[in-house]
Amino acid sequence: MAKGKKKRSGGLSIVLLLIAAILVFALYRTFGPNTGSMNKGEYLYIHSGSDYENLKKELENGGFVSDMFSFNVIAQFRKLPDHVHAGKYKITNGMSNFNIVRMLRNGAQTSVKLTINKLRTTTDLVKLLSSSLEPDSATFASLISSEEYTAKFGLDSSTIMCAVLPDTYEFFWNTSADNAFRNIEKNYKKFWNEPRVNLAKNQGLTPVEATIIASIVDEETNLTEDKPKIASVYLNRVRKGMKLQADPTVKFAIGDFTIRRVTGKMLQTESPYNTYMYAGLPPGPICTPSLSSLQAVLEAPKTTYLYFCAKADFSGYSSFASTFDEQIKNAREYQKALDARGIH
């Protein structure tokens, strides 16, 4: 009898050891590291409309998971196949099945922070957004070129860039093109609060008109000290019904922003943006102006200046003039300096 009990006891011990080993293995497979080669980097992208099979392919192709069998067991247990959420997910090297499945099931995606500095065209905006978010360039381009869509914001396809202020924006990767633009436009509305709208009114401008002038000022100089006086020149010209004759608008019309010296032939470029040919403001902004340029327009001083040109010392500052004779003198000095340096 004693021997029989010992045999049964020994067999039970083996079974318990096996069970314990299985439990340890299961716990390790659940909570231990299970990331693979990570050959596509640390971000997993799940496209809108993806199902569980699509998700598994992305995990395998990107080398995010080392052992797909154990991952699938945990995923099935946690009902991940019924809760696949599109988005951008950060898979940290050494993550466990449990943590990966929980993150994906909860849709705990990583946000995209997009910094917008100076953009000149809608093409620039489309390229930036489509390279960072899920919607493709055609979707974004179609949206912001639609007069019906832009009218919702009191804008049109020419003035739509007025809504884009330099700032850092936060999105989910799979946000729609519409929601992405609404996020940007929300910042535009926030900027144009009542005090700023009133400042624009005091200058005889709407927010859109102020932004268009600010975009020209922004292209004229990087020097914050000169911006208010340059803004006053353009405001004075608008009030007198004079042509703005702004070189940056010619560069925009040509589509070449590397031009250093605008020539007489360039001034003949046929475009509503060519302010040497057409009086008044161009149809839209020629860039997304900085906040300092916008503020320069809103707080532009009262001056008699109608002209300005770059100083001949290439300091970046401008010489201002109230009469054409003064301007001719300043311009000749600058042209001589350009010729001396061989700048054409």
Side-chain angles (χ1 to χ4, degrees):
M1 290 292 291
K3 289 183 178 180
K5 285 182 180 181
K6 285 182 180 180
K7 285 183 180 180
R8 286 197 296 272
S9 176
L12 183 60
S13 297
I14 293 172
V15 170
L16 290 174
L17 284 172
L18 286 173
I19 292 173
I22 291 170
L23 285 173
V24 170
F25 180 78
L27 286 171
Y28 179 78
R29 280 305 184 190
T30 301
F31 298 105
N34 191 34
T35 48
S37 63
M38 310 279 281
N39 58 70
K40 289 189 176 181
E42 60 184 356
Y43 291 108
L44 166 69
Y45 295 89
I46 303 176
H47 291 265
S48 297
S50 294
D51 58 17
Y52 184 57
E53 290 304 313
N54 298 134
L55 168 58
K56 286 197 296 183
K57 286 179 182 177
E58 290 297 327
L59 287 168
E60 288 178 320
N61 293 339
F64 293 105
V65 171
S66 176
D67 177 23
M68 281 302 300
F69 177 80
S70 62
F71 174 85
N72 188 53
V73 170
I74 305 301
Q76 295 290 346
F77 178 75
R78 293 281 293 155
K79 299 184 177 173
L80 175 59
D82 299 326
H83 299 278
V84 174
H85 303 283
K88 175 184 178 181
Y89 298 89
K90 184 176 182 179
I91 309 292
T92 304
N93 192 34
M95 282 182 75
S96 66
N97 283 326
F98 178 82
N99 287 331
I100 296 173
V101 169
R102 181 176 61 179
M103 177 177 65
L104 297 177
R105 189 185 187 284
N106 293 339
Q109 60 173 302
T110 299
S111 62
V112 175
K113 288 187 177 180
L114 189 63
T115 298
I116 294 179
N117 293 312
K118 178 180 284 191
L119 301 175
R120 291 190 173 91
T121 65
T122 54
T123 301
D124 293 335
L125 177 62
V126 166
K127 183 178 179 180
L128 180 65
L129 291 174
S130 61
S131 65
S132 304
L133 303 175
E134 182 181 22
D136 60 21
S137 58
T139 302
F140 279 115
S142 174
L143 189 76
I144 63 176
S145 65
S146 165
E147 299 296 348
E148 181 181 356
Y149 180 76
T150 55
K152 294 178 181 179
F153 310 100
L155 302 168
D156 57 38
S157 57
S158 296
T159 59
I160 192 67
M161 290 295 283
C162 287
V164 185
L165 293 175
D167 207 341
T168 297
Y169 299 84
E170 192 166 1
F171 307 91
F172 283 126
W173 174 76
N174 61 312
T175 191
S176 67
D178 174 43
N179 285 336
F181 185 77
R182 286 181 185 275
N183 188 351
I184 292 172
E185 195 268 343
K186 188 186 299 181
N187 200 35
Y188 168 72
K189 281 185 176 178
K190 182 179 177 181
F191 176 83
W192 284 106
N193 54 27
E194 187 176 351
R196 287 197 178 99
V197 169
N198 288 334
L199 283 173
K201 283 181 180 178
N202 291 339
Q203 300 286 18
L205 304 170
T206 66
V208 166
E209 290 169 337
T211 302
I212 292 173
I213 294 177
S215 73
I216 298 173
V217 172
D218 205 80
E219 286 288 274
E220 290 282 15
T221 184
N222 292 321
L223 297 174
T224 303
E225 308 96 298
D226 263 9
K227 287 181 178 182
K229 287 186 286 186
I230 292 175
S232 77
V233 169
Y234 289 125
L235 286 169
N236 288 338
R237 283 179 162 265
V238 168
R239 289 163 186 155
K240 288 179 176 291
M242 298 173 66
K243 292 178 181 177
L244 297 188
Q245 295 184 325
D247 286 2
T249 66
V250 178
K251 296 178 185 179
F252 185 89
I254 295 171
D256 184 353
F257 305 106
T258 65
I259 295 171
R260 297 182 66 186
R261 187 175 186 176
V262 174
T263 64
K265 184 178 180 181
M266 294 175 186
L267 300 183
Q268 303 306 310
T269 302
E270 175 56 47
S271 168
Y273 284 89
N274 185 349
T275 57
Y276 277 87
M277 294 187 72
Y278 296 98
L281 299 179
I286 60 172
C287 73
T288 51
S290 64
L291 299 186
S292 64
S293 294
L294 282 164
Q295 210 63 33
V297 173
L298 297 180
E299 298 177 352
K302 301 295 182 184
T303 71
T304 58
Y305 298 140
L306 292 173
Y307 309 92
F308 72 95
C309 74
K311 285 192 172 183
D313 60 4
F314 293 96
S315 63
Y317 288 93
S318 297
S319 297
F320 295 87
S322 299
T323 67
F324 186 64
D325 287 341
E326 288 179 281
Q327 171 66 1
I328 288 296
K329 180 183 176 182
N330 293 335
R332 282 175 179 165
E333 290 180 3
Y334 182 61
Q335 293 297 329
K336 285 180 182 178
L338 287 176
D339 291 338
R341 294 198 176 196
I343 298 175
H344 302 289

